[in-house]
């Protein structure tokens, strides 16, 4: 089915509303799905969400800013009320940076491009196709959504046993040692932040959820939106199941690597190097 | 029988102590509080479901919402009168019912339930 005029106007309108570019908008709002999005599972049935991160573009932006660029991290942590305790031992990581060598220990190439050596790479939950964290969770608080492959957390159900933290080979999960509301205010000048997002009670595990709440409203993940806003365009979010999607196009055109691919968890975050 | 009288007196005193709260409160049953609507809620006229249902079973509805949103990704709700709502305690329910102490708390106190919603969901800030 093609996109008829009415449909197109609708997509364009929604896109303008959410400030998406033309192509990105069509990727998220496939024709006919806008209406359907009001019911049930919106914009998401039969998709397999993934992200492509262009390390080159990211580093380029990092180099321009005095203290490096943290737009994606700030946006995510603000939107999801992720606390900053100021104590690395209690750090809660949804999206964070780590050196290239630590992020990709399986790329043992001492002659790797100079530009990548010791450089910070943006990391987040890989929303693995075979997520070991889901397999070990005794309460099914961590689960993979059948319809779109997002690995979600049901924080109502988490008992804080931390098996998932042991199982995740990417360190993508954090244990919540305290009430986010009580996180030091001086580190978060805008605290309390987003009233649209629930906080967590003490003693649950949390992680990046691919912004399920935003996708449901037809918005891009907060990190991607923030990155696009500063015109870095280093992050691309899209549907792997669609051969014509923005992410598939990038994957066709560029050489990409994934973290610890040899473990067979099939990460859905791809890095252009 | 040894000290039969003392035992019986003791029993009566004991029983009296046990029942004293009932005598103390007899005839003055605490009145059930009436939840107060905000002007916004009054103006809306209808809630997401009929008032009688909401009064008796709002917790069932909330539980179902949380389950379908988190587990099934179904974030919209169609009310019996055909209107659509975004299923969210914080942004849909509390948008209208923003007077926490007069709408939620006094009833919860009366029936002595202490829901733990507010461990995570942000309680509305009330204007004093
Ligand atoms: S990266 Fe870790 S937390 Fe995320 S899906 Fe994979 S195993 Fe689970
Ligand atoms: S996808 Fe959403 S939750 Fe995940 S890192 Fe980006 S902003 Fe945070």
């Amino acid at each position: 089915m093609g996109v008829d005029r009415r449909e197109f106007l609708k997509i364009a309108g929604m896109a303008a509303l959410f400030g998406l570019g033309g192509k990105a908008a069509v990727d998220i709002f496939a024709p006919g799905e806008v209406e359907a999005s009001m019911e049930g599972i919106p914009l998401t049935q039969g998709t397999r969400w993934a992200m492509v991160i262009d390390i080159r573009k990211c580093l380029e932006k990092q180099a321009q800013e005095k203290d490096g660029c943290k737009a994606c991290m700030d946006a995510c942590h603000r939107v999801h009320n992720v606390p900053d305790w100021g104590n690395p031992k209690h750090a809660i990581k949804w999206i964070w940076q780590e050196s290239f060598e630590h992020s990709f220990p399986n790329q043992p190439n001492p002659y790797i491009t100079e530009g990548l050596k010791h450089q910070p790479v943006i990391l987040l939950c890989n929303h693995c196709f075979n997520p070991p964290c889901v397999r070990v969770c005794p309460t099914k608080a961590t689960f993979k959504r059948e319809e779109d492959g997002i690995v979600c957390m049901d924080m109502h159900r988490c008992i804080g046993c931390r098996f998932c933290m042991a199982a995740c080979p990417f360190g993508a999960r954090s244990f919540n040692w305290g009430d986010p509301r009580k996180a030091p205010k001086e580190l978060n000048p805008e605290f309390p932040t987003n009233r649209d997002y629930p906080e967590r009670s003490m003693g649950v595990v949390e992680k990046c959820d691919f912004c399920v709440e935003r996708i449901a409203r037809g918005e891009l993940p907060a990190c991607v939106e923030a990155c696009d806003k500063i015109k870095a365009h280093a992050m691309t979010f899209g549907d792997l199941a669609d051969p014509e999607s923005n992410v598939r196009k990038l994957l066709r055109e560029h050489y990409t690597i994934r973290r610890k691919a040899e473990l067979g968890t099939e990460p859905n975050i791809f890095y252009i190097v | 029988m040894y000290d039969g009288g003392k035992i019986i007196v003791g029993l009566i005193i004991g029983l009296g102590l046990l029942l004293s709260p009932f005598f103390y409160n007899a005839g003055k049953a605490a009145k059930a509080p009436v939840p107060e609507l905000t002007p916004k809620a009054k103006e809306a006229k209808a809630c997401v479901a009929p008032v009688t249902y909401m009064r008796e079973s709002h917790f069932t509805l909330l539980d179902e919402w949380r389950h379908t949103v988190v587990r099934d990704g179904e974030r919209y709700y169609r009310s019996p009168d055909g209107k659509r709502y975004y299923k969210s305690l914080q942004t849909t329910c509390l948008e209208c019912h923003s007077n926490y102490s007069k709408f939620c708390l006094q009833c919860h106190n009366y029936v002595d339930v202490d829901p733990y919603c507010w461990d995570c969901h942000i309680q509305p800030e009330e204007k004093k």
Side-chain angles (χ1 to χ4, degrees):
Chain A
M1 195 181 74
V3 184
D4 66 21
R5 210 181 99 83
R6 199 175 136 255
E7 216 100 55
F8 178 77
L9 285 177
K10 216 154 49 183
I11 293 170
M14 290 281 255
L17 209 60
F18 300 127
L20 305 173
K23 180 71 181 103
V26 179
D27 265 341
I28 291 201
F29 304 105
E33 284 183 358
V34 178
E35 199 78 294
S37 78
M38 291 302 288
E39 310 281 296
I41 304 145
L43 309 167
T44 213
Q45 191 86 55
T47 52
R48 190 171 144 205
W49 296 120
M51 199 184 282
V52 179
I53 299 179
D54 193 331
I55 301 184
R56 302 164 312 175
K57 285 186 180 168
C58 183
L59 290 179
E60 205 175 291
K61 191 75 195 171
Q62 302 269 357
Q64 284 167 15
E65 310 277 316
K66 202 165 110 265
D67 306 311
C69 170
K70 303 232 179 322
C72 55
M73 292 183 261
D74 290 345
C76 172
H77 293 173
R78 197 167 47 242
V79 165
H80 300 109
N81 296 325
V82 177
D84 181 351
W85 297 96
N87 175 354
K89 269 197 193 147
H90 294 179
I92 297 197
K93 299 185 295 184
W94 284 42
I95 175 165
W96 72 103
Q97 287 178 327
E98 193 107 47
S99 72
F100 183 83
E101 289 77 5
H102 280 133
S103 311
F104 297 95
N106 57 342
Q107 301 274 327
N109 176 357
Y111 307 107
I112 191 120
T113 344
E114 279 300 322
L116 282 178
K117 259 189 194 157
H118 315 307
Q119 290 305 310
V121 178
I122 294 290
L123 306 176
L124 56 149
C125 167
N126 287 287
H127 296 277
C128 305
F129 191 70
N130 294 316
C133 55
V134 170
R135 214 159 47 229
V136 300
C137 178
T139 63
K140 295 279 163 283
T142 294
F143 62 104
K144 189 173 128 184
R145 290 214 308 203
E146 278 315 312
E147 62 272 15
D148 59 7
I150 294 182
V151 177
C152 288
M153 277 291 308
D154 182 345
M155 293 185 204
H156 296 119
R157 217 187 252 211
C158 176
I159 54 168
C161 72
R162 290 176 273 174
F163 285 7
C164 58
M165 294 175 67
C168 170
F170 306 97
R173 311 183 137 257
S174 312
F175 187 69
N176 204 328
W177 289 95
D179 182 351
R181 299 280 267 179
K182 302 220 174 75
K185 269 202 179 75
E186 60 280 14
L187 296 167
N188 286 302
E190 291 190 310
F191 215 81
T193 43
N194 184 9
R195 299 186 78 83
D196 290 352
Y197 200 82
E199 292 165 348
R200 278 70 65 190
S201 51
M202 208 185 283
V204 299
V205 174
E206 51 184 276
K207 70 171 193 74
C208 155
D209 59 8
F210 248 8
C211 287
V212 277
E213 79 287 359
R214 293 173 59 90
I215 307 175
R217 293 194 295 254
E219 298 168 358
L220 285 170
C223 51
V224 179
E225 192 187 85
C227 186
D228 286 349
K229 210 176 263 165
I230 53 167
K231 301 210 163 55
H233 302 296
M235 305 174 107
T236 308
F237 181 78
D239 177 14
L240 272 190
D242 171 10
E244 294 312 314
S245 70
N246 49 2
V247 284
R248 286 287 291 276
K249 219 166 109 215
L250 283 175
L251 293 179
R252 262 200 303 277
E253 289 166 2
H254 298 277
Y255 175 67
T256 52
I257 56 176
R258 291 190 288 178
R259 294 183 73 200
K260 304 184 183 172
E262 73 280 9
L263 296 178
T265 70
E266 297 282 339
N268 278 320
I269 310 285
F270 300 80
Y271 294 89
I272 301 178
V273 284
Chain B
M1 217 207 268
Y2 306 106
D3 290 336
K6 279 187 199 156
I7 293 177
I8 289 174
V9 169
L11 274 178
I12 290 174
I13 293 177
L15 204 66
L17 278 176
L18 191 74
L19 294 177
S20 63
F22 294 97
F23 295 127
Y24 182 74
N25 279 329
K28 47 172 177 173
K31 254 184 62 217
V34 183
E36 242 174 56
L37 290 180
T38 56
K40 196 164 181 186
K42 266 193 206 136
E43 197 185 317
K45 293 219 172 63
C47 198
V48 298
V51 174
T52 42
Y53 174 84
M54 291 308 285
R55 202 168 280 156
E56 289 158 9
S57 311
H58 57 279
F59 36 88
T60 313
L61 180 115
L62 287 173
D63 191 48
E64 195 187 304
W65 275 19
R66 106 173 156 181
H67 190 86
T68 47
V69 166
V70 180
R71 308 297 302 191
D72 310 330
E74 293 173 4
R75 288 186 181 254
Y76 294 90
Y77 166 84
R78 194 196 290 275
S79 68
D81 61 11
K83 264 175 96 179
R84 278 157 172 171
Y85 295 93
Y86 187 64
K87 291 188 207 165
S88 161
L89 172 66
Q90 235 158 254
T91 54
T92 301
C93 305
L94 298 184
E95 179 67 15
C96 264
H97 302 295
S98 52
N99 51 346
Y100 174 72
S101 54
K102 289 279 164 52
F103 191 76
C104 317
L105 192 65
Q106 53 172 358
C107 275
H108 287 166
N109 280 345
Y110 177 70
V111 294
D112 198 16
V113 293
D114 191 8
Y116 46 85
C117 314
W118 315 114
D119 287 2
C120 302
H121 297 271
I122 306 169
Q123 207 170 290
E125 263 165 33
E126 291 182 84
K127 285 177 219 86
K128 292 270 142 59

